[in-house]
Each structure stands twice: as C-alpha cells, then as structure tokens.
C-alpha cells in the first residue's frame, strides 16, 4: 500500500460526498415535479410522450397498480430484446455479419439486461451486432436503471406520505427519470469519454498487420493441433462511448467488449477510470439525500449515507491490503511497491491502473450492483476476492445499484428499527410510522428470497457434473467461482470471477432465473411495505422513540446488515475463500 494509493481512494470518496447533495436535490425536484433548469428543453417532450401514449400524468397509482405496470414494462422489454437477439442476422447495423444468438444465451442475456444485472456469458464483440448493442442492450441499460430509480422514489413517497394509497404513476416517473436524470448525463458523459480514447463509430472491424508476428497452436475440426504463424489482428470497434456512460451511471455493468472496463477502448486512461467510478456511485449516493429531503428528515438521510460509507471504506481497505500484500506462494518474487513497479498481486490487473485503482473499482462495482470490472476478480487473492463476494451477499446495499441500493437498505432499516423496538420493549417506529408485523414479514421475505436463490442453485451446481464441469479451478476456488455466479445473478450485479464457463444451458437458464427472482421477488415485498406505510397515520415522537438520525442508528444499521447478510453465508465463505486463504498461507496450491 502506498500514500498515492490512499490519496486516490480518499479523493474518490471526497468527490462522491460532494456530488451527493446537488444530485439529491435535483432528483427531489424532478420527482416532486418542481421546476428545474432542464424544464424548457424536456417538458415539451414529456407532454408529447404522454399525448402519444395516452398517459394521464395527474393520475396516481396504488402500489399494486405500480407493480403491475412495472412488471408489464419489464416483461415486454425483455421479450423485445430476446427477439432482437434471435433475429440480428437479418437486421441492419451488422457489418461483421454476426449470426443469431442461440436461444439459451439469448434468454439469459434478455433476463440479465432486463433485471439490471447485465451478466454476460458471451464475448460482446464476437456475439452481438451494433444494432443489438444499441437498440437492445443499451436501451435496457436506460430502462432497467429507470425502473430501479423510480421504485426507490416510490419507497420514499411511502415513508413521506400519510393516510393515502397513492404512490405516483409509474409511466410518469419512468419518463421523467429517463429525460431529466439519465439522458443529460449520458450525452455529456459520452462527449467526455470520446476525447479520452473511448471509440464511438459504426465502422466494420479493422484488420491490421502485426509488427511482430507470433506462433499459435490451433486445433482443427479433426482434433489435430497445428502451429500457425499469426501475422494479422482484427481490431473490434463500434458505438462504445454511448453505451459506456449509461453502463456505469445506470449501474448496469454490461460491457461492449468481453474485457469490459479493462479494455482500452472502453476505459483507456486514469481519468476515464476515475470518471467511470464516480458515475457508478453518483445516483445511489444522491438518493440518500433525496430520502432525507423528501421525508423531511435530512439527518436520517445522512445517517443512512454514513452507514453505507463505513461499509464501503471497510471493504476497500480490506481489498487494498490483501492485494498490495501479494501472494506468499510466489517465493523469491519481489512484490514490494517501488518507483519501477506496482508491487503486490498484479495478476489480472491493468498496469495503467495499478493495485489501488483496481481494488477501488472492484469494491465500487460490487457495492453498487454495477458489474463493470477493470480487472479479473478470479485473479485476486482469496481475501481480496472475498470482499466483492461479500459486498453482493449483503444485498448490495453499500450505496447499491441505482434505486436498488436505497430500497435494499430500506429493508434493513425496517429490520433495524424492529430490533431496536424489541430491545426497548415497545412498538417500533420509523419517522413517525409504526412498524408492524406485516412490514417485518415483507422485509424478511425480501431478505430470504436472495438467500434461498443463491444457496439452492449453488448447492446443486457443486454436486452435479453440469455444474462442476464449468469451473476452471478445483478445490475451494472452484466453489467460489460457482458461488460468485449465483451471488452476482441473484444480487443483480453481473460481475463474474471470470474463471467459470457460464455459457451452458444449465448456467444460462439458472442464472437467468436467479436474476429474475433477485429483482422482482424483492421489489414486490418492498413495494408492499411502501404501500403499507403510506396508509398509516404519523405518531408524535416520545421519550421511548428510537432516533433514526444519529450515530447509534447508523451503527445498528451496519450491524443489522452484517448479521443478516454476511453471517447467513459464512459457512459457504468458510469452504471457499477463507479455506483458500488458509491453504495459501500454508504454502499449498490446489
């Protein structure tokens, strides 16, 4: 670890803190239908959209109506993406003449992008045409992000409103989210990334002659291996910058290229790397301020932010320490940081980013259910790879995905307040609303669906040949690969250990099911709680009311997240990364 590394981590944290309030205030104004500086540009477009679609912007919905509208929108979007993938061979903007995507992979990808997971069991540059990337995948980056954000707003409205069953209009909220929040930043962000070197064109791939030809072993269709001299390379390109910004800002994570944000055409410079990381945390952090502003308790919003910030700093410190320490099995290798080398465990990391920026990116992307990566988590040390795994296991509430992080932490807030009420022997209250048995049952249902999905599919995969045949490493690391696949899917993260062959019928199908369960079976209980809170009367605070605005509440919230989240998966972690760490320190490989 170096002073420069800590400075970069500290600078990132400071920037996130500084953007929290202005972005939170702006989103409050957008979703409260207050005037903003973008109204002259987007308000006429908004009215035109409503006129064409027949939406009454003044009509609000009950939570059940809101849920049905969201499910219909997501279902139709998923079907459209599947259709595009299955017919891309005959559609335009396919200069490489790529074929139609196989049914299993098409279904898995459609489910993945619809749920904001963006799990990719394929290489983007050799599988998806430009039209599929733009009209299919990039569209879903916007749509799934908007769904997550507006659901967080519904939760906030449920807390803030009283004695009503109206929580807003899904179509109005989604339209305003797309026009006011996502599109402007993505347009400007794309123009920032292009000068940095992120490509943006519709040209066919370029074939170039290599300065230094090399020999490669090639296996033919007859199974025989021959040696060939490779003299040319195909340079993939396309409309990358426009997808890159929404991929990060919408915490989607699905990259245009297989190497994702480790690819120089997606993330070429230290500045682009820093800018992309800021985009990932911007909305999740800003929504905590929106929570405080819309509920009339700004201190509560900051308390939630502080709990998230503590977990983030603890995670990034752990990963940075583990990766900077290096690998003890590499006896005799110089792994100390110096002016000539980054030091530590550089396997799977880009030299232009180094240890600090790689570990920071790994922590940010798994905290925020983004899934974009600038290094391969499969190559991290056991403890370094365990932290991204735990980040997702916590429910990705450490800032979390756009919207998903806020309504995810809301579940733990309900549980924390309930626990506090039990300790003092009175009915728990949250910002003037009594938390009753129905609310706690819904919160526990949201928590249990994640646990059940992950552990069930992982258990089957580690005992069946169609599960174990895809791992690239035996022993505890192989377990980590399988576990990470389902944790990432159910948590709607989308990153992978990169050592698992997930493009099989088993993994394409089961990860898709895990993604759908992790997204929608969590959303519905959360909406039910929001609807329940909105109907309740507010009660005045008393001497026995547990305050949700200070350090005590933030500490209880952190403890609840760790106990409910981390300890649930401790046995699996013990057999995976923890055992691997013990074996590594004992000098044993597997």
């Amino acid at each position: 670890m170096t002073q420069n590394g800590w400075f970069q981590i500290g600078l990132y944290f400071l920037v996130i803190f500084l953007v929290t309030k202005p972005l939170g205030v702006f989103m409050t104004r957008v979703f409260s239908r207050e005037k903003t500086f973008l109204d002259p540009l987007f308000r006429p477009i908004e009215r035109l959209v409503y006129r064409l679609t027949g939406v009454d912007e003044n009509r609000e919905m009950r939570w059940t109506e809101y849920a049905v509208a969201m499910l219909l929108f997501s279902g139709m979007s998923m079907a459209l993406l599947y259709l595009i993938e299955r017919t891309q061979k005959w559609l335009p903007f396919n200069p490489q003449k790529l074929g139609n995507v196989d049914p299993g992979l098409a279904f898995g990808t459609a489910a993945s992008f619809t749920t904001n997971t963006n799990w990719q069991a394929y290489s983007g540059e050799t599988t998806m045409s430009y039209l599929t990337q733009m009209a299919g995948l990039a569209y879903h980056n916007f749509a799934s992000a908007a769904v997550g954000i507006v659901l967080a707003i519904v939760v906030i409205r449920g807390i803030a409103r009283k004695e009503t069953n109206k929580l807003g209009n899904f179509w109005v909220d989604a339209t305003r989210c797309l026009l006011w929040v996502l599109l402007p930043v993505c347009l400007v962000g794309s123009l920032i990334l292009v000068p940095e070197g992120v490509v943006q064109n519709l040209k066919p791939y370029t074939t170039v002659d290599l300065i230094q030809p090399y020999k490669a072993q090639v296996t033919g269709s007859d199974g025989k291996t021959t040696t060939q001299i490779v003299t040319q390379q195909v340079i993939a390109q396309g409309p990358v910058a426009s997808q890159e910004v929404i991929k990060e800002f919408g915490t989607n994570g699905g990259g245009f290229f297989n190497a994702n944000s480790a690819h120089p055409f997606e993330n070429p410079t230290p500045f682009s790397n820093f800018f992309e990381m800021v985009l990932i945390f911007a909305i999740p952090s800003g929504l905590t301020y929106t929570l405080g502003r819309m509920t009339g308790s700004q201190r509560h919003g900051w308390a939630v932010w502080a709990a998230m910030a503590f977990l983030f700093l603890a995670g990034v410190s752990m990963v940075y320490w583990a990766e900077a320490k290096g690998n003890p099995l590499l006896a005799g290798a110089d792994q100390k940081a110096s002016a000539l080398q980054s030091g530590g465990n550089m396997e799977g990391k880009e030299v232009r980013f180094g240890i600090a920026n790689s570990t920071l990116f790994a922590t940010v992307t798994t905290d925020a259910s983004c899934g974009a990566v600038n290094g391969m988590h499969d190559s991290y040390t056991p403890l370094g790879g365990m932290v991204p795994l735990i980040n997702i296991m916590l429910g990705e509430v450490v800032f979390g995905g756009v919207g998903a992080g806020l309504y995810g932490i809301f579940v733990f807030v309900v549980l924390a307040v309930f626990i506090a009420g039990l300790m003092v022997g009175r009915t728990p209250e949250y910002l003037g609303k009594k938390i009753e048995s129905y609310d706690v049952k819904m919160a526990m249902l949201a928590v249990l669906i994640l646990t059940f999905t992950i552990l069930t599919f992982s258990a089957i995969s580690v005992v069946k040949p169609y599960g174990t045949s895809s791992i690239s490493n035996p022993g505890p690391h192989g377990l980590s690969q399988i576990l990470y696949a389902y944790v990432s899917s159910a948590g709607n993260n989308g990153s992978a250990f990169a050592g698992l062959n997930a493009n099989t019928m088993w993994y394409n199908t089961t990860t898709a099911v895990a993604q759908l369960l992790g997204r929608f079976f969590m959303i519905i209980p959360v909406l039910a709680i929001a609807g329940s809170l909105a109907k309740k009367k507010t009660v005045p605070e008393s001497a026995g009311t547990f305050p949700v605005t200070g350090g005590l509440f933030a500490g209880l919230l952190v403890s609840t997240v760790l106990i409910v989240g981390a300890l649930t998966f401790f046995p699996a972690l013990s057999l995976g990364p923890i055992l691997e760490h013990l074996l590594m320190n004992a000098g044993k490989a597997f």
Side-chain angles (χ1 to χ4, degrees):
M1 296 185 285
T2 64
Q3 290 183 346
N4 181 51
W6 285 115
F7 170 77
Q8 293 180 71
I9 293 172
L11 177 63
Y12 173 78
F13 184 71
L14 175 63
V15 171
I16 293 302
F17 173 75
L18 293 176
V19 303
T20 298
K21 181 177 179 178
L23 188 54
V25 171
F26 179 73
M27 287 189 290
T28 300
R29 298 184 68 86
V30 168
F31 294 108
S32 299
R33 304 189 193 180
E34 300 174 13
K35 189 175 181 180
T36 72
F37 69 95
L38 291 175
D39 283 14
L41 176 61
F42 290 120
R43 184 59 178 154
I45 300 175
E46 182 188 22
R47 290 196 184 101
L48 177 61
V49 170
Y50 299 152
R51 191 175 299 116
L52 293 175
T53 57
V55 172
D56 180 2
E57 63 175 309
N58 296 314
R59 179 186 178 275
E60 295 200 356
M61 301 175 174
R62 301 185 302 274
W63 80 263
T64 50
E65 292 180 278
Y66 209 100
V68 169
M70 177 271 298
L71 291 172
L72 287 174
F73 175 73
S74 300
M76 291 302 297
S77 298
M78 179 177 169
L80 177 61
L81 176 55
Y82 179 82
L83 180 63
I84 292 174
E85 292 180 85
R86 294 290 294 131
T87 60
Q88 72 172 13
K89 177 180 179 180
W90 304 293
L91 297 176
F93 297 106
N94 186 8
Q96 298 308 118
K97 308 300 180 184
L98 299 175
N100 297 330
V101 182
D102 292 337
L105 181 59
F107 171 74
T109 304
S112 175
F113 278 77
T114 301
T115 57
N116 200 246
T117 307
N118 301 72
W119 172 272
Q120 294 174 289
Y122 61 89
S123 175
E125 60 267 48
T126 60
T127 308
M128 302 296 180
S129 68
Y130 289 167
L131 182 70
T132 303
Q133 294 271 19
M134 295 185 296
L137 307 185
Y139 158 76
H140 272 274
N141 287 348
F142 281 94
S144 63
V147 168
I149 293 170
V150 301
L151 289 171
I153 296 300
V154 166
V155 168
I156 296 174
R157 287 183 185 139
I159 301 169
R161 295 182 178 182
K162 57 183 178 179
E163 299 182 72
T164 181
N165 61 358
K166 303 299 183 182
L167 293 173
N169 187 306
F170 172 79
W171 308 110
V172 174
D173 290 340
T175 301
R176 294 187 70 83
C177 182
L178 289 167
L179 290 178
W180 269 263
V181 180
L182 298 177
L183 277 174
V185 172
C186 291
L187 288 172
V188 175
S190 298
L191 296 178
I192 292 174
L193 287 182
V194 169
E196 289 297 302
V198 180
V199 299
Q200 178 73 19
N201 60 51
L202 295 173
K203 296 180 179 179
Y205 295 173
T206 303
T207 302
V208 298
D209 294 326
L210 296 178
I211 297 176
Q212 293 182 330
Y214 65 93
K215 295 181 180 180
Q217 300 291 326
V218 179
T219 303
S221 57
D222 57 358
K224 295 182 179 179
T225 301
T226 59
T227 301
Q228 295 183 359
I229 299 177
V230 180
T231 60
Q232 292 183 324
Q233 180 179 350
V234 176
I235 306 297
Q237 54 200 298
V240 180
S242 57
Q243 184 168 324
E244 188 69 18
V245 178
I246 185 57
K247 152 191 159 184
E248 314 293 9
F249 193 54
T251 62
N252 297 279
F256 191 96
F257 300 104
N258 186 44
N260 208 280
S261 289
H263 197 290
F265 281 177
E266 285 197 34
N267 189 10
T269 67
F271 174 78
S272 69
N273 188 69
F274 187 85
F275 179 63
E276 291 176 16
M277 286 192 293
V278 171
L279 288 175
I280 294 173
F281 262 11
I283 292 179
S285 183
L287 279 171
T288 62
Y289 196 88
T290 302
L291 168 67
R293 197 173 183 92
M294 291 181 70
T295 58
S297 179
Q298 202 63 71
R299 291 182 61 197
H300 172 62
W302 282 120
V304 173
W305 186 91
M308 293 177 170
F310 174 81
L311 290 169
F312 161 69
L313 291 174
V316 73
S317 299
M318 180 67 175
V319 183
Y320 189 26
W321 170 81
E323 296 306 300
K325 187 178 180 181
N327 189 336
L329 291 178
L330 301 177
D334 183 7
Q335 299 183 66
K336 294 182 179 180
S338 67
L340 300 178
Q341 65 178 20
S342 298
N345 174 37
M346 278 297 293
E347 181 188 344
K349 301 178 180 66
E350 285 291 305
V351 175
R352 66 183 187 275
F353 302 139
I355 297 287
N357 276 287
S358 297
T359 55
L360 178 59
F361 204 116
T363 306
V364 168
T365 196
T366 50
D367 278 339
S369 76
C370 180
V373 294
N374 73 349
M376 298 301 106
H377 299 173
D378 187 55
S379 297
Y380 277 44
T381 60
L383 295 185
M386 183 179 70
V387 172
L389 190 59
I390 291 177
N391 287 341
I392 312 174
M393 288 175 171
L394 295 178
E396 293 194 294
V397 297
V398 187
F399 293 105
V402 285
L406 187 71
Y407 64 70
I409 197 70
F410 168 69
V411 171
F412 287 100
V413 168
V414 170
L415 295 178
V417 171
F418 175 70
I419 293 171
L422 291 178
M423 289 190 291
V424 299
R426 59 172 288 147
T427 302
E429 299 171 10
Y430 173 51
L431 294 178
K433 303 286 184 71
K434 289 187 178 294
I435 301 298
E436 298 171 310
S437 62
Y438 176 82
D439 307 310
V440 177
K441 288 176 182 177
M442 290 297 103
M444 284 308 304
L445 179 60
V447 171
L448 291 174
I449 190 63
L450 184 70
T451 305
F452 174 80
T453 302
I454 292 171
L455 295 181
T456 299
F457 282 130
S458 296
I460 297 172
S461 297
V462 297
V463 297
K464 294 296 183 179
Y466 45 75
T468 56
S469 61
S470 290
I471 61 176
S472 59
N473 296 88
H477 195 79
L479 172 61
S480 297
Q481 290 176 340
I482 293 174
L483 186 64
Y484 197 107
Y486 291 109
V487 167
S488 181
S489 295
N492 299 140
N493 182 272
S495 65
F497 250 34
L500 181 79
N501 175 27
N503 190 13
T504 66
M505 182 58 69
W506 169 252
Y507 282 107
N508 279 328
T509 303
T510 54
T511 53
V513 172
Q515 291 153 18
L516 293 169
L517 291 174
R519 177 74 162 184
F520 299 114
F521 276 63
M522 179 180 181
I523 285 175
I524 294 174
V526 170
L527 283 176
I529 300 174
S532 172
L533 292 179
K535 294 178 182 179
K536 297 179 180 182
K537 299 178 180 180
T538 55
V539 295
E541 290 188 7
S542 64
T545 300
F546 178 71
V548 292
T549 56
L552 180 61
F553 168 73
L556 179 61
L557 181 56
V558 169
S559 300
T560 303
V561 170
L562 292 176
I563 292 172
V564 176
L567 293 185
T568 302
F569 297 99
F570 183 75
L573 293 172
S574 299
L575 297 174
I578 294 177
L579 177 58
E580 184 182 359
H581 173 74
L582 296 175
L583 290 173
M584 182 183 72
N585 284 339
K588 297 180 180 180
F590 46 86

